[in-house]
Amino acid sequence: MGKKIKVFLVDDHEIFRDGVKQLITNESDMEVTGTASDGEEAIAAIQEVKPDVVIMDIRMPGLNGLETSQNIIKSGSNVNIIFFSLYDREDYVISALEMGAHGYILKDTSNKIFLNGIRAVANGHFFFTGEVSDVVVKKYRELKQEKGIPDVHQSFSLPSLSKRELEILNMIRIGKTNKEIAEAFGLSVRTIETHRLNMLRKFKTSNLDEVLKVTEKYNDEE
């Protein structure tokens, strides 16, 4: 077995924190190396345990998740941060991206998608759930317009992708098969294949790699 992904949890709700810890502990390729109930406790502990991925609640008493993450990054800790939140507010999402987060996952996401998000971020990818992806795309286009850069991908109509299609793209990006994606969402393989075909039609291409390439750019902070 390879090296386990070291995860650190930061959330002020003990019951929720313990539940996520148990979920991660049940996975053979990852482990929880520490937890914290507030920002100050997290900053001190993360410097000691040096996790690979930090799961950060965005709203906490005292130092909130954004302020805590800024301090962690400024301290030189080489970790990737995923915000795990109830809220998909645009100001939260954009602040998280500008701060340097690698992921933003909503707390109503399924367990399998949440765990795959940890794996994706641990491998250096960005990971956003469907509603958050919409915010990222909108902000990206606004920045392009402000800089006067033509939107060469406008014909792909990326914003017309559904929440489910965006989630499937995230799964494809981290190497999941149709069968694995179907199991994660509780759908049939045929349904996943139909979603893939629909995305190809929307992007006016026969190559899914082109779709992945474009959406990766939208998920980046360039």
Side-chain angles (χ1 to χ4, degrees):
M1 183 182 297
K3 180 182 175 183
K4 288 189 175 184
I5 300 168
K6 296 187 293 183
V7 182
F8 192 97
L9 306 176
V10 188
D11 196 292
D12 60 312
H13 293 96
E14 182 179 3
I15 292 176
F16 181 81
R17 194 171 62 244
D18 288 347
V20 174
K21 180 178 179 180
Q22 186 59 53
L23 175 66
I24 292 173
T25 300
N26 289 338
E27 298 299 301
S28 61
D29 61 338
M30 58 182 75
E31 61 182 341
V32 174
T33 56
T35 66
S37 59
D38 60 58
E40 292 184 0
E41 180 185 356
I43 292 167
I46 286 169
Q47 291 178 343
E48 292 294 324
V49 301
K50 296 179 172 57
D52 302 306
V53 176
V54 174
I55 308 298
M56 181 76 66
D57 188 16
I58 203 162
R59 293 184 64 173
M60 297 186 293
L63 288 178
N64 63 35
L66 292 169
E67 294 166 332
T68 302
S69 298
Q70 287 173 337
N71 278 278
I72 291 169
I73 290 173
K74 287 179 181 177
S75 73
S77 298
N78 186 25
V79 300
N80 291 334
I81 297 172
I82 298 176
F83 283 102
F84 197 35
S85 176
L86 288 170
Y87 308 97
D88 61 351
R89 285 174 39 176
E90 181 173 340
D91 56 335
Y92 285 176
V93 177
I94 298 307
S95 294
L97 291 173
E98 290 176 344
M99 182 277 306
H102 274 67
Y104 196 114
I105 301 175
L106 298 181
K107 287 184 176 180
D108 61 359
T109 299
S110 73
N111 291 346
K112 286 187 177 181
I113 293 175
F114 169 62
L115 294 169
N116 283 328
I118 295 175
R119 295 182 179 102
V121 168
N123 287 314
H125 300 292
F126 293 94
F127 195 92
F128 309 102
T129 50
E131 297 92 335
V132 179
S133 296
D134 291 341
V135 175
V136 176
V137 170
K138 179 181 176 183
K139 184 62 176 178
Y140 176 87
R141 289 198 157 175
E142 287 175 354
L143 291 173
K144 296 271 281 187
Q145 290 173 356
E146 289 172 6
K147 294 177 181 179
I149 302 172
D151 189 353
V152 296
H153 302 301
Q154 191 168 6
S155 62
F156 289 141
S157 300
L158 184 58
S160 69
L161 292 179
S162 68
K163 171 188 173 182
R164 178 67 76 209
E165 288 167 343
L166 288 166
E167 290 173 337
I168 289 172
L169 275 179
N170 270 327
M171 300 285 276
I172 294 170
R173 182 171 288 112
I174 61 174
K176 295 299 177 181
T177 64
N178 284 352
K179 182 179 179 182
E180 289 171 328
I181 297 170
E183 290 175 351
F185 292 119
L187 301 171
S188 68
V189 172
R190 183 177 292 276
T191 298
I192 300 302
E193 291 172 346
T194 299
H195 278 301
R196 292 175 68 127
L197 288 173
N198 286 338
M199 285 187 281
L200 291 175
R201 282 196 289 268
K202 289 180 179 181
F203 278 66
K204 301 177 183 178
T205 180
S206 60
N207 187 349
L208 194 61
D209 287 341
E210 293 182 16
V211 180
L212 292 169
K213 188 179 297 183
V214 172
T215 53
E216 181 70 18
K217 290 181 180 180
Y218 277 112
N219 279 346
D220 207 343
E221 260 196 297
E222 295 178 351

